[in-house]
Amino acid sequence: RRLDSRSGLSAGLLGEIQTPISTEPMEGVYEITGELGRGKFAVVKRCVEKATGKVFAAKFLRKRRRGRDCRADVIHEMAVLEMARNNARIVNLHAAYETDHDIVLVLEYAAGGEIFDHCVSEELLHEAQITRLIRQTLEGVHHLHQSNLVHLDLKPQNILLTSLSPPGDIKIVDFGLARRLGAVGELREILGTPEYVGKVMSVGVIAYMLVTGESPFAGDDKQETYLNVSQISVDYSREAFSRVSELAVDFIRKLLVKAPEDRPSAAECMSHPWLWQQQFCLSPDPATTRTVRERSCGTKWTAPPEDPEDK
Ligand code: ADP
Ligand code: MG
């Protein structure tokens, strides 16, 4: 938060983009049809490309924020999206426009909304669906890390679905806080939403929220929550875990650990048996249950088998 966007370069922002920023009115090309979401400095609207009928999401980013010129931040967000393109798990940047107030990023449309909705819904997703979404999220995170990019704001509101029901594939969005490692000396200075900061801890938090419908650090008041976050204190005996598989708990436990150096990398997470389990609490057969438990005990995870669903 202490980043100063007046000095984009010293803050480690990327400045080079390939996508041209058109100053033509975008209304000539797109029909804007409604609002999809909004944040502090952005409004995201649904729009239809008139020539093709294709739907996109237009993210209107204010150039001036708190009286300061933040154009460099928007260019950086575009540059990160461009660096991460060619990966199906990262939202694609289609075009860009500029008006007096905003830079508009025309993004691939994710019609299924935020996976956050599945964390607060009465009806939680099946574990088989959740593991598929977590695998896809890890694929995206792994791709980012391979390009030395860190998202820093990975949370259920920033992971969208291509379709709602049945849940489609995930798209990671919102690269406003993303940074390229190596460009900045002090990573500690560029914290994202505090609850989600960490190598892959954010994926553990997301998995926790999807399987329980609760937040892992929620306390009775603000102070308790703060303490839980800072201590990474998680209660796995909660009622919410009664229907959650042991492998899921094992996965979450290995991600939600205090010392960052003890957290697995995205690639290591990928081989956790929970993500590759074929049956979820369906088999009463104690033999299969035992094998699954035995596999989860060791810290060394085996290589994942091919997943036919993901091809
Ligand atoms: P902010 O930086 O304000 O958080 P986001 O990029 O996260 O902006 O967008 C805000 C919200 O808009 C998202 O949480 C999501 O609900 C919606 N949204 C963003 N991008 C898309 C998209 N490509 N398709 C559909 N909805 C989107
Ligand atoms: Mg967001």
Side-chain angles (χ1 to χ4, degrees), residues 36-42 44 57 59 77 91 107-110 114 157-158 160 173-174:
L36 294 167
R38 66 169 60 227
K40 271 191 297 291
F41 305 111
V44 180
K59 183 173 182 180
E77 186 166 342
V91 77
L107 302 161
E108 175 183 7
Y109 174 56
E114 306 168 7
Q157 292 89 334
N158 289 335
L160 309 185
V173 301
D174 196 356

Side-chain angles (χ1 to χ4, degrees), residues 117-126 210:
D117 298 334
H118 291 287
C119 298
V120 291
S121 149
E122 281 294 303
E123 221 164 301
L124 296 172
L125 292 173
H126 277 245
L210 283 169

Side-chain angles (χ1 to χ4, degrees), residues 11-221:
L13 298 180
L14 301 169
E16 275 181 41
I17 50 168
Q18 270 126 45
T19 310
I21 303 179
S22 168
T23 48
E24 297 290 312
M26 71 175 291
E27 289 76 11
V29 183
Y30 302 90
E31 188 189 343
I32 293 169
T33 57
E35 194 175 305
L36 294 167
R38 66 169 60 227
K40 271 191 297 291
F41 305 111
V43 185
V44 180
K45 293 179 180 170
R46 187 180 182 278
C47 62
V48 182
E49 193 172 44
K50 291 176 184 173
T52 61
K54 253 190 103 176
V55 182
F56 291 92
K59 183 173 182 180
F60 292 72
L61 284 139
R62 282 212 331 250
K63 286 190 283 188
R64 282 193 80 77
R65 302 170 191 176
R66 301 195 184 102
R68 287 196 339 227
D69 178 11
C70 291
R71 197 172 185 276
D73 298 62
V74 183
I75 301 297
H76 169 80
E77 186 166 342
M78 289 179 69
V80 173
L81 283 169
E82 288 181 356
M83 278 194 71
R85 83 169 18 140
N86 301 326
N87 186 279
R89 309 308 178 206
I90 312 294
V91 77
N92 197 46
L93 175 64
H94 177 71
Y97 289 83
E98 181 160 12
T99 67
D100 286 345
H101 289 106
D102 302 301
I103 291 182
V104 187
L105 309 186
V106 181
L107 302 161
E108 175 183 7
Y109 174 56
E114 306 168 7
I115 65 164
F116 181 74
D117 298 334
H118 291 287
C119 298
V120 291
S121 149
E122 281 294 303
E123 221 164 301
L124 296 172
L125 292 173
H126 277 245
E127 273 194 37
Q129 284 295 347
I130 296 172
T131 53
R132 186 178 62 86
L133 301 180
I134 294 293
R135 281 200 308 267
Q136 294 187 351
T137 305
L138 285 167
E139 281 169 23
V141 170
H142 180 64
H143 178 77
L144 292 173
H145 290 180
Q146 280 189 315
S147 312
N148 284 323
L149 295 169
V150 282
H151 187 283
L152 294 179
D153 200 16
L154 212 59
K155 55 185 178 182
Q157 292 89 334
N158 289 335
I159 298 178
L160 309 185
L161 291 169
T162 54
S163 62
L164 182 62
S165 173
D169 296 325
I170 69 113
K171 296 284 170 187
I172 300 176
V173 301
D174 196 356
F175 288 78
L177 291 177
R179 288 296 180 272
R180 190 181 161 92
L181 287 181
V184 189
E186 277 291 282
L187 186 62
R188 256 175 304 151
E189 287 196 49
I190 45 171
L191 303 179
T193 313
E195 285 196 35
Y196 301 95
V197 172
K199 214 157 84 180
V200 285
M201 198 167 77
S202 50
V203 180
V205 175
I206 293 165
Y208 184 110
M209 293 180 73
L210 283 169
V211 296
T212 66
E214 294 176 3
S215 164
F217 304 120
D220 289 336
D221 51 48

